Amino acid sequence: MKMKKLLYTTFLASVCFNGMAQKRVLDKADKEYNQYAYIDAISIYEKVADVGHKDEKMFQRLGNAYYFNAELTKALKWYDALFALNDQQEPEYYYRYAQALKSVGDYSKADKMLETFNQKVKADSRGILFENNKNYLEQIKVNSGRFDISDTGINSNQSDYGSTVFDNKLVFASGRDTGTVARKTFRWTNKSFTNLYASELKSDGSLENPIRFEKKINSKFNESTPVFTKDGKTMYFTRNNFLRGKKGKDDKSITLLKLYKADFVNDKWTNVTELPFNNDQFSVAHPALSPDEKKLYFASDMPGSLGQSDLYSVAINTDGTFGKPENLGSAINTEGRETFPFISGDNELYFASDGRPGLGGLDVFVAKINEKSGFDSVQNIGEPVNTQFDDFAFIIDSSTRKGFFSSNKEGGKGNDDIYKFTETRKLDCEKKLAGVIRDAQTNAVLSDTKVILFDAKFQQIAEVTSTTDGNYNFDVKCSKSYHVRAVKKEYETNESAISITPSADKEELDIKLEKQIKPIAVGTDLAKTLNIPIIYFDLDKSFIRTDASFELEKILAVLKQYPEMKIDVRSHTDSRQTAQYNIVLSNKRAKATIAWFVKKGISTNKLTGKGYGETQLVNKCSDDAVCTEEEHQLNRRSEFIIVSMK
């Protein structure tokens, strides 16, 4: 690499003096970029930019080169320059810019970029998730503070990440110096290739100095993210496309990632074979086993993926063969990166994603796997595990609540570091939904009421009976919507909807029931008894509106049920116009209402009526008062007072 850098310096020495030389340098950088040698490309592009050259394509590639290497704060410098030069970019640049802005805590500007991104590509789930979760920082705050984390003490100045626990050892990937004379480097990053290492777990939680894993597993290319079966006889791991001394490449001559399997025979790992769903043309990586070891989960960009990498599962048959990989679907995957899956002992899927609202870079998320192999709501596990940088490869012991994760956050020793943690409070996302059933008129509590809980699609979940003090409660899940229905004899059934927030300890939903049979007597206002809206007439009008006709049918039904009943129709106006005008208008409204009943067959001797104008306002909206149109409408009403029952 020193010779390469010397050559680049020679090229760049003439940049200020020769435009053709500058073009040759940029062409060289473009070639490096297109071959995914991002660090080499950065070296060239930055030197050109440092002499004052401004080029949109160059700024895009500088930003991307750092972005793809998870150096978001450095990417921000060039995305800033890009948008300063031209703020009309392809949609993906708004998303990358937002992620880079989050790396320095500028969430306000990041959210504006995400809003623009969502406007430009309305069907992208990343934008939709942001649009539907604009309070994501508040939600993350609620989920935060649940972990005590510390350094593992085994990190090097290279990359250390992707750990698993096996045989009381922490097995992980590391790019640390292996002591060879010529260290091999990965051209994408100019960093060392990673091999697997193992570190003994001591009783006090500390770790012994790591030693290299078996030579049969480690190759001259990248190995990472191992997982082992419980009996210790099988391991799955990630490696570059390299087996038995042969390196595979895709159509662009890039060596991608594959999953491999090895057997433990006679105290040695052997029989390294690649899994049958690998392919030279796409990557398959980061295996995880289900608790029953009947499924293998992994990340891939295989055809059919929704985003840059998706999570998949594949059945492991009893004879050791594999089924067909299945995409976990849009409940988990986005157009961004979903990667590093882990399935806990209590059947929760932990994974890293940069496609969901988060703190920046890759965040760790969790979703419960339900009985139908679907997923409950996805939640960000919060700080301090998640930061403004890449946080990933989260594993946890479901019994001890201890585990490990990887991050390139600030303050680490190397490019990526492994941290250990203890979870002090579970993110169970289950709460109590409780309330009281009451009589709507008397406010008395109603016992022995059937209360039914439905999900958002009206599928019944549970049913209880209210206690002697009218109480009921259900177990519900955060961030989900429900319907609660109360049913009691002699009462009208009532139903209310509620969305469960993750913030409060308990959700409360009281429900009031109206009696089916309501007492009436002389002086009763039928409009109130029948819950008829009090707004009937438009401004300065006396005709019966269509919506009023529907409500008047209720009064008509009562008059027909009680043929001896007589009612007095009392019409009121708001205070606008003069008092005299309003008296005239309200009289017209009373007469129009009576005429409606007569037309429907009610005898005129059963009906009286009068207009009261603005003399009986129900609020403060008298002359010269400043009121809204809605407040004025409350005064434009009719009352139906029973004056006789015989």
Side-chain angles (χ1 to χ4, degrees), residues 222-274:
N222 285 305
E223 280 80 32
S224 69
T225 52
V227 64
F228 299 84
T229 55
K230 294 172 185 175
D231 62 11
K233 295 180 179 180
T234 304
M235 73 175 290
Y236 301 92
F237 63 99
T238 307
R239 179 195 281 174
N240 281 118
N241 187 353
F242 180 78
L243 186 62
R244 300 183 186 92
K246 183 179 179 181
K247 182 172 69 170
K249 297 180 180 181
D250 68 2
D251 291 341
K252 297 179 180 179
S253 297
I254 304 300
T255 300
L256 301 177
L257 300 175
K258 287 187 174 183
L259 287 184
Y260 295 85
K261 176 185 175 184
D263 300 319
F264 195 63
V265 181
N266 297 326
D267 295 329
K268 288 188 177 297
W269 289 104
T270 186
N271 301 331
V272 177
T273 58
E274 67 170 277

Side-chain angles (χ1 to χ4, degrees), residues 176-330:
R176 65 191 63 209
D177 192 346
T178 58
T180 57
V181 175
R183 288 175 58 195
K184 295 181 175 63
T185 58
F186 186 30
R187 203 159 174 241
W188 185 310
T189 61
N190 274 358
K191 297 168 186 173
S192 296
F193 281 102
T194 59
N195 282 163
L196 296 184
Y197 285 75
S199 179
E200 190 82 22
L201 285 161
K202 295 194 286 188
S203 58
D204 63 358
S206 61
L207 292 126
E208 296 279 5
N209 287 330
I211 59 173
R212 291 192 72 188
F213 205 69
E214 284 193 26
K215 187 176 181 180
K216 189 76 173 179
I217 301 300
N218 287 323
S219 71
K220 61 182 180 180
F221 294 105
N222 285 305
E223 280 80 32
S224 69
T225 52
V227 64
F228 299 84
T229 55
K230 294 172 185 175
D231 62 11
K233 295 180 179 180
T234 304
M235 73 175 290
Y236 301 92
F237 63 99
T238 307
R239 179 195 281 174
N240 281 118
N241 187 353
F242 180 78
L243 186 62
R244 300 183 186 92
K246 183 179 179 181
K247 182 172 69 170
K249 297 180 180 181
D250 68 2
D251 291 341
K252 297 179 180 179
S253 297
I254 304 300
T255 300
L256 301 177
L257 300 175
K258 287 187 174 183
L259 287 184
Y260 295 85
K261 176 185 175 184
D263 300 319
F264 195 63
V265 181
N266 297 326
D267 295 329
K268 288 188 177 297
W269 289 104
T270 186
N271 301 331
V272 177
T273 58
E274 67 170 277
L275 299 192
F277 45 85
N278 286 326
N279 193 294
D280 289 348
Q281 303 305 316
F282 53 78
S283 284
V284 183
H286 313 316
L289 284 166
S290 61
D292 62 8
E293 300 185 348
K294 293 181 179 180
K295 277 188 178 181
L296 185 72
Y297 291 78
F298 59 91
S300 178
D301 60 350
M302 66 175 58
S305 296
L306 303 179
Q308 297 160 38
S309 67
D310 282 9
L311 297 187
Y312 288 80
S313 69
V314 63
I316 304 174
N317 301 319
T318 54
D319 61 358
T321 60
F322 294 86
K324 181 180 178 181
E326 295 182 0
N327 191 296
L328 297 192
S330 59

